[in-house]
Amino acid sequence: MKKRLFGKETMAVAIAALMAAGVMAGCSSGGKETTEATTEKETTAATSVASESKEGQVPADEIEPCEIKFRYWADNTDYSALMQDIIKKFNAENGKGITVIGEESPWDGGAYSENLFNAKMGGGDVDCATSKLTSTPLFVNNDLLADLTPMINAWDKKSEIDDNIYNIMVEAGDMQRIYVMPWNIQVLYVYYRPSIFKKAGIEVPKTYEEFLQAIEKCTMDTNGDGKTDTYGFAMRGAKGGQEPWGSFVYGRGGSFEDLTTPEAVQGMQDFIDIYQKGYVPPTATSDGFSEIIANFQSGLAAMTIHHTGSSKDMEKVFGDDVSAFPFPAGKGQWTSMGDTETVIFESCKNKQAAFEWVSYLAAGEGQKMWCEGTGNVPVSKSVQETDFFQNNRFMKASIDGQKYAGIVPILDTTTEWISNLWPNTVSQALTGSISAKQCMQTLQDGLYQ
């Protein structure tokens, strides 16, 4: 099925969509919540992207001294100061005479992307910037982004980043080239309470079927009054719930490519069953981020799904009585990935110099400094393998999940689908107003209309 990306003719709609989708999506810099419209893993490996002509590329050892203007956002003053420290270190140590000039711009509920787009359409002199996958088609279709494929193919640290990450970058552009440089990610995983698992007599689930069984077994009446005290899973049925829901669809072998397959419908039926059998809080149909976290932290639920943005608060509440595991595999496996990348603009006169900077953020000292300082998940394999990340159980679950992580398809229908169609339609299915099959047909038609 051909996916319709943002085109010039939908520019006004796309700008509005960027703002709507980005209301809670500043999380690249360590924010706590992301409902970024995000797409599934493509089967075409990034390594098979056709080699591009390198004619006109300036070898790294022939870069002339220059200034590179870099625009970014930071979620708080600490992260702002950290970015300035990284810039100072790069400027002092790159040895090529490259001077990065950092220009901070507020995220402003997603208006960052709109403002950046307007600046570049108006001829602004920004050379490179932090960015989000949701904005990539709009920028690409207006010829604003440089094709990074030749530089990445020639990069000596290309293998530092998992192929799946490149696959997602390709899909977000035009499925042929890479227009964004990976920087840091957020990968959803399952939070769980070891003490509740022990009480239920279960181990960490290794398969999707075991996960469903764990949800059932952790639903308990602990005081014998005939009422459920602990639910197996804190389900997110309101906006943003499409991200953890996607894991159920893939667990049965379905995918976002066609939500009407028997496998995808069965994943939806699993979602319905755990609600109708009372394994999740009865408020699940209207529960959003705040509610699922509250249900988990109050002890009402044994498991929930989120990312490292919640881990510090979880540890404050539970100490060692909280841990995490990657969403387990069934016939398929998927989890949602939040993202922040960097881009180089086509108007940049010193693209190779700009690439030196963005690659420093992707797999150099800048990657290590930023991810350690903000708690975001690094994309660099060597940084992931350091003790700082491997000894953190939440980071470890994120890193283990990145190989099968993906994003909801980025289409001109996605914002409406996430904001209204998905929560309204799934609510009807959970409460029995429509069947799993009817639900998935409606979701398919709305996403790929």
Side-chain angles (χ1 to χ4, degrees), residues 384-401:
Q384 291 175 356
E385 290 166 1
T386 62
D387 289 344
F388 182 91
F389 295 99
Q390 288 297 315
N391 293 339
N392 182 308
R393 56 195 182 277
F394 308 111
M395 283 289 180
K396 185 69 166 57
S398 299
I399 292 167
D400 289 346

Side-chain angles (χ1 to χ4, degrees), residues 401-417:
Q402 73 164 5
K403 290 180 174 59
Y404 55 87
I407 59 177
V408 175
I410 303 174
L411 311 172
D412 54 10
T413 57
T414 301
T415 298
E416 172 63 21
W417 189 86

Side-chain angles (χ1 to χ4, degrees), residues 43-61:
T43 55
T44 304
T47 52
S48 70
V49 174
S51 298
E52 303 291 330
S53 171
K54 297 178 185 177
E55 184 178 353
Q57 272 191 259
V58 178
D61 57 359

